[in-house]
Amino acid sequence: MANDLHQLTIHEAHELLRQRKISSTELTRSVLHRIGHVEEKVRACVTIAEDIALREAKKVDDYINTNREIAPLTGIPTLIKDVICTKGIRTTCSSKILENFIPPYDATVIERLRKEKAIIVGKANMDEFAMGSSTEHSAFFPTHNPWDLARVPGGSSGGSAAAVAADETICALGSDTGGSVRQPAALCSVVGLKPTYGRVSRFGLVAFASSLDQIGPLTKDVTDCALVMNTISGYDPRDSTSVPYPVPDYARQLTGDIRGLKIGIPKEYFVEGMEDQVRAGVEAAVEKLRELGAEVDWEVSLPHTKYALAVYYILAPSEASANLARYDGVKYGFSERDAGNVIETTEKTRQSGFGPEVKRRIMLGTYALSAGYYDAYYHKAQKVRTLIKREFDQAFEKYDALVTPTSPVAPFRLGEKLEDPIQMYLSDICTLPVNIAGIPAISVPAGFADDLPIGMQIMGKPFSEETLLRIAFAYEQATDWHKRRPPLS
Ligand code: GLN
């Protein structure tokens, strides 16, 4: 058994650690061995923190041996998207401009993981600054989908999702600005949750679009998702947008019972261009929820959904253009120091430090915010944002949750959408509205189309993560998609 420990979920590994049947060192070694075995094909990791991880695991084993009770994440190997600051471990955002940046502090989520004695095994590849849907915009290398190495894992948290699917880690963290946890979760057949805006601290999360960004877990099943949420959620005085609501025990809500819950299916999410097998897969999943006792209404309409993509691609680049102004060749990492004066240093640093997608966003955002266009674009987009949010509020007066596909398509081929930004942007058509409204949503494995993963998205009102997890868990109990493993090696 000792060789297969990397295949365990958090809750399975926890049980074995608690009973002292395995050690954290054995578990961490198994994960590192697996990384060594498959990473050449999957390429999910930017940094593998082997020595640090083994040193920590040894310390945790000493702790486990002298303490009766351990927390659910104690001794559990965890991979972190490279947009989250880890003290002493390089944090690159998969960008040349931060290639050698070693943060002097931990993000709050990392502090919380460390407090529970989780083991950080490394940093996951991503689209540069989390801008993208395929992980092909990484400045270093693309990540491959473990289910079909010629295809993308989704993005921007593609490294985190692919690593969980390939058993290169027990669990991972990602970040989601427009779908970057849920869409790669769907494309890799793992569970991914975007929490309510304000539920999880953004302190130490490198900012992309601050009014949309949230950190969320990527895990092998719904129980693990609840356990990671228990650890990372909660108020943080260092993030002024974090909300001081108490954190429920998310794992306790996993009863398997969803009888009487009202679930709406908004028709606008079954968009033109959606693949037939994805549609059929999600419809079958909804039918399963009905069999489990949920009341399903197929006639829901959210007409403002059609503006979500346009709103997002005004707001996100606008905020990004402001947030990324700090990379000036003076304060952080990479710098064209010999450029002459400070203006030229900044210009040249940004010219060679940022990749093409990041530059596109900065230009779009700068334009949308410029004096003459602010009202026409940014201000207008904010107004439509309010309409989208209101439409959700109204729907949630009637329904406990809304169910949609996570991605309109199964994993696409590497390179397929790279030359066509609009096609790439459309990957997140089903996930963007959730960030615009600040609500939570989870993606769960919901079958396969010709052996490629399909994901179902469940959205809820603010701070209804418990309900979403409950529905997701009931569905998971009734299916075994989450037990399938990609045919790697
Ligand atoms: N794909 C979307 C974008 O490129 C969302 C990214 C994200 O959620 N970080 O902006």
Side-chain angles (χ1 to χ4, degrees):
M1 181 179 93
N3 290 333
D4 298 335
L5 298 181
H6 54 268
Q7 294 179 359
L8 296 172
T9 60
I10 298 173
H11 54 99
E12 289 164 350
H14 171 71
E15 225 12 69
L16 295 172
L17 285 165
R18 207 176 58 84
Q19 297 171 17
R20 295 172 185 54
K21 288 196 172 141
I22 62 170
S23 68
S24 175
T25 303
E26 285 169 321
L27 182 60
T28 305
R29 271 195 204 288
S30 175
V31 161
L32 290 168
H33 186 262
R34 175 71 175 172
I35 292 176
H37 194 58
V38 301
E39 185 56 9
E40 199 177 276
K41 297 179 196 156
V42 181
R43 307 223 67 192
C45 305
V46 174
T47 301
I48 302 161
E50 179 160 355
D51 295 345
I52 299 178
L54 288 172
R55 209 182 323 127
E56 291 296 316
K58 169 84 185 56
K59 276 198 242 162
V60 171
D61 284 330
D62 293 341
Y63 170 85
I64 294 176
N65 287 332
T66 52
N67 285 272
R68 195 175 295 266
E69 281 311 318
I70 58 168
L73 293 192
T74 301
I76 303 292
T78 307
L79 189 72
I80 309 295
K81 185 179 184 181
D82 215 13
V83 68
I84 299 173
C85 286
T86 42
K87 184 174 177 178
I89 305 175
R90 197 166 71 114
T91 299
T92 68
C93 287
S94 289
S95 178
K96 207 181 146 199
I97 215 158
L98 288 175
E99 190 166 0
N100 298 312
F101 174 60
I102 299 179
Y105 62 88
D106 275 327
T108 296
V109 292
I110 301 297
E111 274 184 1
R112 288 177 184 256
L113 287 174
R114 289 199 203 278
K115 200 162 157 234
E116 273 211 13
K117 300 189 161 46
I119 309 293
I120 312 282
V121 283
K123 304 300 291 286
N125 198 22
M126 53 185 280
D127 287 292
E128 185 176 4
F129 283 102
M131 298 172 187
S133 306
S134 68
T135 316
E136 292 167 292
H137 293 313
S138 165
F140 307 137
F141 46 80
T143 296
H144 299 254
N145 191 313
W147 294 93
D148 178 346
L149 296 168
R151 294 177 187 267
V152 304
S156 61
S157 311
S160 300
V164 172
D167 291 318
E168 292 183 71
T169 180
I170 306 297
C171 62
L173 290 186
S175 68
D176 191 314
T177 303
S180 280
V181 164
R182 292 160 286 152
Q183 185 258 12
L187 268 50
C188 291
S189 199
V190 300
V191 175
L193 178 98
K194 199 287 288 183
T196 308
Y197 188 75
R199 177 79 291 188
V200 176
S201 169
R202 290 181 298 110
F203 179 80
L205 168 68
V206 177
F208 163 13
S210 310
S211 77
L212 302 159
D213 300 338
Q214 271 289 290
I215 294 169
L218 288 127
T219 56
K220 293 176 189 178
D221 67 13
V222 174
T223 305
D224 281 7
C225 181
L227 293 174
V228 177
M229 280 299 289
N230 280 350
T231 305
I232 65 173
S233 303
Y235 176 64
D236 177 10
R238 292 180 298 186
D239 172 1
S240 61
T241 60
S242 89
V243 176
Y245 292 170
V247 179
D249 178 357
Y250 291 112
R252 248 203 4 224
Q253 312 300 325
L254 309 180
T255 58
D257 182 7
I258 58 166
R259 280 171 301 173
L261 281 185
K262 295 196 180 59
I263 293 178
I265 317 298
K267 58 172 188 260
E268 287 80 4
Y269 285 75
F270 292 80
V271 290
E272 207 184 305
M274 174 164 289
E275 287 171 5
D276 290 341
Q277 283 181 296
V278 171
R279 176 192 304 269
V282 174
E283 284 173 355
V286 172
E287 179 52 25
K288 181 64 84 185
L289 295 175
R290 201 189 56 76
E291 282 169 24
L292 290 168
E295 290 171 27
V296 175
D297 182 352
W298 285 93
E299 296 300 317
V300 181
S301 175
L302 301 173
H304 285 96
T305 304
K306 61 174 176 290
Y307 302 118
L309 189 76
V311 166
Y312 177 86
Y313 278 99
I314 297 292
L315 296 182
S318 295
E319 295 182 24
S321 73
N323 277 326
L324 271 61
R326 72 191 65 173
Y327 305 103
D328 55 8
V330 178
K331 304 189 199 74
Y332 303 92
F334 171 74
S335 175
E336 295 275 9
R337 281 180 215 291
D338 304 326
N341 59 37
V342 70
I343 307 268
E344 278 170 34
T345 296
T346 298
E347 280 176 4
K348 286 210 171 137
T349 299
R350 291 168 70 83
Q351 211 168 66
S352 53
F354 288 138
E357 183 60 28
V358 174
K359 286 180 185 161
R360 182 179 298 130
R361 306 280 178 115
I362 292 173
M363 284 190 284
L364 275 170
T366 308
Y367 180 80
L369 291 179
S370 57
Y373 296 109
Y374 182 88
D375 282 330
Y377 295 117
Y378 187 78
H379 198 202
K380 175 89 118 314
Q382 288 289 30
K383 288 185 181 167
V384 182
R385 179 179 199 170
T386 304
L387 296 177
I388 291 172
K389 166 93 176 81
R390 264 193 220 144
E391 204 165 77
F392 274 118
D393 290 346
Q394 280 160 9
F396 290 125
E397 280 171 18
K398 230 169 131 192
Y399 304 101
D400 297 295
L402 299 171
V403 169
T404 74
T406 307
S407 160
V409 296
F412 44 93
R413 291 184 182 283
L414 283 147
E416 193 178 318
K417 299 184 196 260
L418 208 48
E419 303 305 321
D420 186 346
I422 303 284
Q423 276 307 313
M424 191 71 92
Y425 296 171
L426 283 166
S427 308
D428 288 308
I429 190 102
C430 300
T431 50
L432 301 165
V434 164
N435 303 71
I436 291 172
I439 60 177
I442 191 169
S443 178
V444 287
F448 290 82
D450 297 331
D451 293 328
L452 296 173
I454 299 174
M456 165 168 68
Q457 175 173 241
I458 312 168
M459 323 179 202
K461 62 171 171 252
F463 301 99
S464 70
E465 282 84 352
E466 291 165 87
T467 308
L468 305 186
L469 288 161
R470 193 170 132 206
I471 298 169
F473 181 75
Y475 177 74
E476 187 180 84
Q477 292 293 96
T479 54
D480 44 2
W481 309 122
H482 65 291
K483 291 196 188 123
R484 283 212 209 168
R485 283 286 164 268
L488 271 175
S489 69

